[in-house]
Amino acid sequence: MLISGTGSNMLALLDSCARGDIEGEVVTVLSDQPEAAGLAKATARGIAVQALPFEPDESRHDHDRRLRRAIEDSGAELVVLAGYMRILDEQFVQHFADRMLNIHPSLLPRHKGLHTHRRVLEAGDPIHGASVHYVTPELDGGPCVLQGCVAVRPDDDAESLRLAVHRIEHVIYPRVVGWVTAGRLKLVEGLPTLDGALLQQPIREEFSRS
Ligand code: GAR
């Protein structure tokens, strides 16, 4: 699992593994940010962690090769990006093609990139949410599996949307990872296939606001 920040998605995934909802274990948590709060949380749960910061004299390619080696050494079969904020180079992505997932805080293909909550408000979108997708070299552009959405309220600000989207993420990400580890979800010729059925478009689930 790769993280850069607080690691709330990481914790939701660890909880799901502990409950047995995900048939698998997190073998390592890696971060480009040595100070990422998520690293301490993973350590507290007994997970092996590694900080792999980008060195000033290192090329992006060399950094990603180092990251790839660390992942391979861990024995991981699936790479889960859980708030990992560095863009990965094409060779890295190709290497882990069809076994790397990401979660993104918007209803892709809307609002790829950063500051999604603010951009939803600026655009006046009536709904917002999160997407779990396979990773391809196109940033936030890989085939999407599951989305969760909520209504945007007139009194929302970026922080209230961030909280609402996090609640969704903590449900939909463990679900998708669970499908993969149970052998139910695969990429077949570049398209997600769940229980043998091709997903022409992502499954979309509506969530209520608390
Ligand atoms: C999540 O909202 C995730 O969707 C987003 O970072 C947050 C990480 O939170 N990821 C991206 O923006 C990737 N482009 P967390 O550290 O609490 O899991």
Side-chain angles (χ1 to χ4, degrees):
M1 195 171 297
L2 272 55
I3 64 165
S4 296
T6 54
S8 70
N9 279 285
M10 174 200 77
L11 286 181
L13 287 156
L14 288 174
D15 287 344
S16 291
C17 290
R19 281 196 303 269
D21 296 343
I22 293 175
E23 299 164 41
E25 59 168 326
V26 178
V27 289
T28 189
V29 174
L30 302 164
S31 180
D32 57 321
Q33 301 295 326
E35 305 304 325
L39 285 182
K41 294 175 191 167
T43 303
R45 301 278 188 110
I47 310 290
V49 304
Q50 278 186 74
L52 285 174
F54 191 75
E55 304 294 347
D57 56 347
E58 194 179 33
S59 70
R60 203 171 129 212
H61 180 68
D62 286 347
H63 178 80
D64 286 1
R65 257 210 331 231
R66 209 152 56 89
L67 183 60
R68 171 178 153 181
R69 257 197 311 272
I71 294 170
E72 286 174 340
D73 288 351
S74 76
E77 294 169 78
L78 179 70
V79 180
V80 175
L81 307 183
Y84 189 69
M85 301 309 283
R86 272 194 69 251
I87 294 174
L88 295 158
D89 85 350
E90 182 159 352
Q91 251 176 301
F92 180 96
V93 173
Q94 298 290 13
H95 182 77
F96 291 108
D98 71 22
R99 51 198 170 115
M100 179 153 59
L101 293 169
N102 183 41
I103 188 148
H104 182 77
S106 79
L107 296 171
L108 291 171
R110 233 172 137 59
H111 305 305
K112 296 176 178 178
L114 299 174
H115 311 302
T116 57
H117 313 308
R118 198 179 70 204
R119 287 158 61 206
V120 160
L121 292 169
E122 284 166 1
D125 292 357
I127 56 169
H128 185 31
S131 307
V132 180
H133 65 95
Y134 279 98
V135 179
T136 62
E138 188 198 339
L139 182 68
D140 300 327
C144 204
V145 177
L146 179 61
Q147 296 184 317
C149 65
V150 282
V152 176
R153 293 171 172 165
D155 61 344
D156 268 320
D157 57 19
E159 179 59 13
S160 64
L161 287 181
R162 188 186 70 79
L163 292 173
V165 166
H166 255 128
R167 275 188 45 238
I168 294 173
E169 292 184 333
H170 300 162
V171 174
I172 66 173
Y173 213 3
R175 192 171 305 158
V176 175
V177 172
W179 288 341
V180 174
T181 59
R184 295 177 56 193
L185 177 68
K186 296 183 172 65
L187 263 196
V188 179
E189 292 174 13
L191 289 173
T193 305
L194 180 63
D195 296 329
L198 198 68
L199 293 181
Q200 300 281 9
Q201 46 192 2
I203 301 165
R204 188 175 277 194
E205 207 169 295
E206 281 180 33
F207 285 70
S208 58
R209 302 287 294 268
S210 58

